Amino acid sequence: MNAEQVLNVLNPELKNALADRYDAALPGMSAGLVDWAYEKHYGRDGVDLKTRQLCTIAALTAMGGHTAPQLAANIEHTLNAGARPSEILEIIWQMAVYGGMPASINGLNVAIKLFDEKGLDPRS
Amino acid sequence: MNAEQVLNVLNPELKNALADRYDAALPGMSAGLVDWAYEKHYGRDGVDLKTRQLCTIAALTAMGGHTAPQLAANIEHTLNAGARPSEILEIIWQMAVYGGMPASINGLNVAIKLFDEKGLDPRS
Amino acid sequence: MNAEQVLNVLNPELKNALADRYDAALPGMSAGLVDWAYEKHYGRDGVDLKTRQLCTIAALTAMGGHTAPQLAANIEHTLNAGARPSEILEIIWQMAVYGGMPASINGLNVAIKLFDEKGLDPRS
Amino acid sequence: MNAEQVLNVLNPELKNALADRYDAALPGMSAGLVDWAYEKHYGRDGVDLKTRQLCTIAALTAMGGHTAPQLAANIEHTLNAGARPSEILEIIWQMAVYGGMPASINGLNVAIKLFDEKGLDPRS
Amino acid sequence: MNAEQVLNVLNPELKNALADRYDAALPGMSAGLVDWAYEKHYGRDGVDLKTRQLCTIAALTAMGGHTAPQLAANIEHTLNAGARPSEILEIIWQMAVYGGMPASINGLNVAIKLFDEKGLDPRS
Amino acid sequence: MNAEQVLNVLNPELKNALADRYDAALPGMSAGLVDWAYEKHYGRDGVDLKTRQLCTIAALTAMGGHTAPQLAANIEHTLNAGARPSEILEIIWQMAVYGGMPASINGLNVAIKLFDEKGLDPRS
C-alpha cells in the first residue's frame, strides 16, 4: 500500500490536520511525516495494519506517558485498523512487564478515557 | 492458558534457567517473574501469543538498546509463537518512527545476528 | 509481611480504589498489581518499608516527569511509611545527579505541591 | 564567563525566581543549580552560548515531553542567546530522527505555542 | 559533611581516578563532578549515606542498563556506606515494578557479577 | 542541499555501508534512512551542518548510553562538519545537566576513545 491507502484506513484527515497545524511554522512537516511513517513503514508488506498498530500501542505505552497525545491518536488508528477495545487494553497492560507499572497505568488511563468519550465498551 | 502452557510454547526451559541463575541470590525471583509475566499477562485471553510477542518486540526496541539481551530472548519466543523472521524485522524497523533511528538500528542488529546464528533467512 | 499488611501501612484504600477504577475495563488488574507490587516486592523481608519507599521516590523521579501521578501517590505512601517531608525532598533533589535537572525539578514541583495541599512544612 | 554573566544574557531573573520558588523548601537549591548549570557548564569556554542553547533544545526534545516546562524555559534562553525561531524549530524537528516522532511533535507544540504567545513569526 | 568526608567513606580514590581519566581531555571535570555530586548532594544533612546510596541504586536500575558502569561503581559505594548485598539485591528487584523487568534483570546481573568477583555472599 | 551533498560532507560511505549491512535483510532500509535523516532533516536550510551535528551529539548523549554506536558514528560526522574535538567534549559534558551524570560520562568515554584511536588531541 502507499501512504494514501494506509491513511484512508487509519485516519483520512491526518495529512490535512498535520498540514494545518504545522506546515506554516515548519514547511514540509506534514509531507515528511506522512512519507516516513505511512509510506516507508506502515505501507510496507509483510505485517497487516492491525498488528502494526497494536505494536505501536505497545511501544508508545512502554516509552512512558510523555507520548500520551500520540497514544490517544494511535488508539483511534488501531480501532480503525480493526482492533477491539479489549485487545488494546490487553496490550497496554502487558507493557507493565516491560516498561513498568507507571507507564502501563498511564496508558490505561488514556485508553479508558478515550473509550468512554467514544461510548465504546472497554470489554468489547 | 496458565503460565506453564504459555511457556511450553514460548520457552519450556525458561523457568529452570531463571531459577538456576537467580534464585540462590534472590529467593523467589523465578517464581515471581513467571507468575507476573506469563500467568498474569501472556496467559490472559483476548490476544494471541504471536501478537503479544510482536508487541513485546516493539516495546523492547523502542525502549532502546539497554534491552538488547531481553530483545534477543524475546525474538526466540516470538519465532516459537509462530512469527516469521521478516515479520520481526518489519516491526523493529517500524519503531524508527516512535523510538528513533538509534533504537531501531540497535534492534535490527540484535535480530540479524540472531537469525544468522540460527541459520534463518531474514526474508523468510 | 503480606500485601494486606503492607497496604495497611502505606494506603489501606489502594486495592479498592484500583478495583473501582480499572477492573471493569480490565478484569483482574487490581489483584495483579497488588500481588506483584505489594506481595512480591514490598512484602519481602530484608529492607524496611520506609527505605523501600524512598527508593521508589528516587526511581520515579529519575525516570522523568511522565511518572508524576505515581510520584504523588508514592510520596503519600512514603509519608505513611514514616519518612519526613525533608527526607523526600532530599532524595528528589539528589536525583539531579543521575536523572538530570529537568527530572529533579519536575519531582520537586510534585512534592512541594503535595506538601502544600496537605499543610505539611517541607522542612519538617 | 561566570554564571552571573551567562545569566545576564540568558535570563537575568532566573536565580531569584529559583530562590523564591525552591529555597524555602530545599535550602541551597538555587545556588546549587546556578553554580552547576551556568558556572560549571554554560560558563565554560570553547562553545558559544547560542550553540550551547541549541544543543540543550535538542537534548530536551529528544528526552521526551516530560521536559516540556524546561524546554519552554530554554527556548526563551535560546532566543536571548541570539537564535531565531526558525533555527529552534529546525533543531526540534531534526530530533524526530533520534528521539522519535512523538518527542519531536511534543517539542514542536511547545515551541509553536511559545512563539505564538510572544507574537514571534515562527519562520523568522 | 563535605565532599572529602563523604568520599572518605564511599570511595577515597574517586577524585584522583576521575582526574586521571578525564581532566586532561576536559579540564575541571573531576572537580565539577565531585563538587556537584558529593558536596552539593551527598554532603547534605537529613538523609544518611546508606539510604542515599540505596536510592541511587534504585534510580540507576530503573533508568535502564545504559547505566551499568555507574551501577557497578555505586554498588561498591553502597557496600562502603554499610549496606548488605541482600539489601542491594532487594532494591534492584523492587525496580521491576517501576522500571520494568528488563531494567531490573540487567541490574541484578551487574550486582551478582560484582558480588561474585568480590567473594561476597549475595544473601548476606 | 540534498542528501547526497550532505553525505559528501559528513560520510560519503554511509549509504553503501548501510545498504551492505541491512538491505538484504530489510529491503529499502538504506534508502529510507538516508532520505529521512539526510534529505528531510540535515538537508534543510536554516541551520548549518556543524550546528546540526553538535545538536545530534547532545541528543544522543542525553538519551543515554544505548546510543553509543550512533554517538561514535556521529562524532565522526561532526568532525567532518568542521567541529573541533574540544567542542564535542564540551557539549557532551554539558549534557550532565540535562541527561544526568551517567549519560554524560558514557558519552565522554565514547568520545575520548574515538579521539584516541584517531590520534586527535581532545583539547584541540
Side-chain angles (χ1 to χ4, degrees):
Chain A
M1 287 195 285
N2 62 27
E4 190 180 346
Q5 293 168 310
V6 171
L7 287 175
N8 276 345
V9 176
L10 301 181
N11 185 346
E13 306 301 320
L14 184 67
K15 186 159 188 343
N16 286 341
L18 289 170
D20 289 350
R21 170 104 180 91
Y22 295 106
D23 283 2
L26 191 70
M29 187 277 194
S30 66
L33 186 156
V34 167
D35 181 67
W36 175 236
Y38 296 102
E39 181 87 24
K40 298 273 176 45
H41 291 278
Y42 286 85
R44 292 174 67 94
D45 292 335
V47 179
D48 63 276
L49 281 181
K50 177 184 159 184
T51 303
R52 285 195 184 275
Q53 279 291 155
L54 286 170
C55 287
T56 295
I57 297 299
L60 292 172
T61 300
M63 291 170 72
H66 82 262
T67 59
Q70 288 79 29
L71 183 56
N74 273 283
I75 290 173
E76 299 221 44
H77 295 190
T78 307
L79 293 167
N80 291 339
R84 287 175 288 113
S86 61
E87 291 176 295
I88 293 169
L89 288 168
E90 285 294 328
I91 294 303
I92 292 175
W93 180 230
Q94 182 180 322
M95 292 305 111
V97 181
Y98 301 103
M101 201 64 93
S104 182
I105 290 177
N106 288 333
L108 291 177
N109 289 340
V110 170
I112 288 171
K113 177 159 175 275
L114 187 78
F115 296 152
D116 191 52
E117 288 168 2
K118 299 176 87 76
L120 291 171
D121 177 356
R123 300 194 54 183
S124 63
Chain B
M1 286 195 285
N2 62 27
E4 190 179 346
Q5 293 168 311
V6 171
L7 287 176
N8 275 346
V9 176
L10 300 181
N11 185 346
E13 305 300 321
L14 184 67
K15 185 158 188 343
N16 286 341
L18 289 169
D20 290 351
R21 170 104 180 91
Y22 296 106
D23 283 2
L26 190 70
M29 187 276 196
S30 66
L33 186 155
V34 167
D35 181 67
W36 175 237
Y38 296 102
E39 182 86 24
K40 298 273 177 47
H41 291 277
Y42 287 84
R44 292 174 67 94
D45 292 335
V47 179
D48 63 276
L49 282 182
K50 178 183 159 183
T51 303
R52 285 195 183 274
Q53 279 292 155
L54 286 171
C55 288
T56 295
I57 298 300
L60 292 173
T61 300
M63 290 169 72
H66 82 261
T67 59
Q70 288 78 31
L71 182 57
N74 274 283
I75 290 173
E76 299 221 44
H77 296 190
T78 307
L79 293 168
N80 292 339
R84 287 175 289 112
S86 61
E87 292 176 296
I88 293 169
L89 288 168
E90 285 293 329
I91 294 303
I92 292 175
W93 180 229
Q94 181 180 323
M95 292 304 111
V97 180
Y98 301 102
M101 201 64 93
S104 182
I105 289 178
N106 288 334
L108 291 177
N109 289 340
V110 170
I112 289 172
K113 177 158 175 275
L114 187 78
F115 296 152
D116 191 53
E117 288 168 2
K118 300 177 88 75
L120 291 171
D121 177 355
R123 300 193 54 184
S124 62
Chain C
M1 287 195 285
N2 61 28
E4 190 180 345
Q5 294 169 310
V6 171
L7 286 176
N8 276 344
V9 176
L10 300 181
N11 185 347
E13 306 301 321
L14 184 66
K15 185 159 188 343
N16 287 340
L18 289 169
D20 290 349
R21 171 106 179 89
Y22 296 105
D23 283 2
L26 191 70
M29 187 277 194
S30 66
L33 186 156
V34 167
D35 181 66
W36 175 237
Y38 296 103
E39 181 87 24
K40 298 271 177 46
H41 290 278
Y42 286 85
R44 292 173 66 95
D45 293 335
V47 179
D48 62 276
L49 281 181
K50 177 183 159 185
T51 303
R52 285 195 184 273
Q53 279 291 155
L54 286 170
C55 287
T56 295
I57 298 300
L60 292 173
T61 301
M63 290 169 73
H66 81 261
T67 59
Q70 290 78 31
L71 182 56
N74 273 283
I75 290 173
E76 298 220 45
H77 296 189
T78 307
L79 293 167
N80 292 339
R84 287 175 287 112
S86 61
E87 292 176 295
I88 292 169
L89 288 169
E90 285 293 328
I91 294 304
I92 292 174
W93 180 230
Q94 180 180 323
M95 291 305 110
V97 180
Y98 301 103
M101 200 66 91
S104 182
I105 289 177
N106 287 334
L108 291 177
N109 289 341
V110 170
I112 288 171
K113 177 158 175 274
L114 187 79
F115 296 153
D116 191 52
E117 287 168 2
K118 299 176 87 76
L120 291 171
D121 178 356
R123 299 195 53 185
S124 64
Chain D
M1 286 195 286
N2 63 27
E4 191 180 346
Q5 293 169 310
V6 171
L7 287 175
N8 276 345
V9 176
L10 300 181
N11 185 346
E13 305 302 320
L14 184 67
K15 186 161 188 341
N16 286 341
L18 289 169
D20 289 351
R21 170 104 179 91
Y22 296 106
D23 283 2
L26 191 70
M29 186 277 194
S30 66
L33 187 155
V34 167
D35 182 67
W36 175 237
Y38 295 103
E39 181 86 25
K40 298 272 176 47
H41 290 277
Y42 287 85
R44 292 174 67 95
D45 292 336
V47 179
D48 63 277
L49 281 181
K50 178 183 157 183
T51 303
R52 284 195 185 275
Q53 279 292 155
L54 286 171
C55 287
T56 295
I57 297 300
L60 292 172
T61 300
M63 291 169 72
H66 82 261
T67 59
Q70 289 79 31
L71 182 57
N74 273 283
I75 290 173
E76 298 221 43
H77 295 190
T78 307
L79 293 168
N80 292 340
R84 286 175 289 112
S86 60
E87 292 176 295
I88 292 169
L89 288 169
E90 285 293 329
I91 293 304
I92 292 174
W93 181 229
Q94 181 180 322
M95 291 306 111
V97 181
Y98 301 103
M101 201 64 93
S104 182
I105 290 178
N106 288 333
L108 291 177
N109 289 340
V110 170
I112 289 171
K113 177 159 175 273
L114 187 79
F115 296 153
D116 190 53
E117 288 168 1
K118 300 175 87 77
L120 291 171
D121 178 355
R123 300 194 53 185
S124 62
Chain E
M1 287 195 284
N2 63 27
E4 189 180 347
Q5 293 168 310
V6 171
L7 287 175
N8 276 346
V9 176
L10 301 181
N11 185 346
E13 305 301 320
L14 184 66
K15 185 158 189 345
N16 286 340
L18 289 170
D20 290 350
R21 171 105 179 89
Y22 296 105
D23 283 2
L26 191 69
M29 186 277 195
S30 66
L33 186 156
V34 166
D35 182 66
W36 175 237
Y38 296 104
E39 181 86 24
K40 298 271 176 47
H41 290 277
Y42 287 85
R44 292 174 66 95
D45 292 336
V47 179
D48 62 277
L49 281 181
K50 177 183 158 183
T51 302
R52 284 194 184 276
Q53 279 291 154
L54 286 171
C55 287
T56 295
I57 298 300
L60 292 172
T61 300
M63 290 170 72
H66 82 262
T67 59
Q70 288 79 31
L71 183 57
N74 273 284
I75 290 173
E76 298 221 46
H77 295 189
T78 307
L79 293 167
N80 291 340
R84 287 174 289 113
S86 60
E87 292 176 295
I88 292 169
L89 288 168
E90 285 293 329
I91 294 303
I92 293 174
W93 180 230
Q94 181 180 323
M95 292 304 112
V97 180
Y98 301 102
M101 201 65 92
S104 182
I105 289 178
N106 288 333
L108 291 177
N109 288 341
V110 169
I112 288 171
K113 177 159 175 273
L114 187 79
F115 296 152
D116 191 53
E117 287 168 3
K118 300 177 88 77
L120 290 171
D121 178 355
R123 301 195 51 187
S124 64
Chain F
M1 286 196 284
N2 62 27
E4 190 179 346
Q5 293 168 310
V6 171
L7 286 175
N8 276 345
V9 176
L10 299 182
N11 185 346
E13 306 301 321
L14 184 67
K15 186 159 188 343
N16 286 341
L18 289 169
D20 290 350
R21 170 107 180 89
Y22 295 106
D23 283 1
L26 191 70
M29 186 276 195
S30 65
L33 186 155
V34 166
D35 182 67
W36 175 238
Y38 296 103
E39 182 85 25
K40 298 271 176 48
H41 290 278
Y42 286 86
R44 292 173 67 94
D45 292 336
V47 179
D48 63 277
L49 282 182
K50 177 182 157 183
T51 302
R52 284 195 185 274
Q53 278 292 154
L54 286 171
C55 287
T56 295
I57 298 300
L60 292 172
T61 300
M63 290 169 72
H66 81 262
T67 59
Q70 288 79 30
L71 183 57
N74 274 283
I75 290 173
E76 298 221 45
H77 296 189
T78 307
L79 293 167
N80 292 339
R84 287 175 288 112
S86 60
E87 291 175 296
I88 292 169
L89 288 168
E90 285 293 329
I91 294 304
I92 292 175
W93 180 230
Q94 180 180 325
M95 292 304 111
V97 179
Y98 301 102
M101 200 65 93
S104 181
I105 289 177
N106 288 334
L108 291 176
N109 289 340
V110 170
I112 289 171
K113 177 159 176 274
L114 187 79
F115 297 152
D116 191 53
E117 287 168 3
K118 299 176 87 77
L120 290 172
D121 178 355
R123 301 195 53 186
S124 63

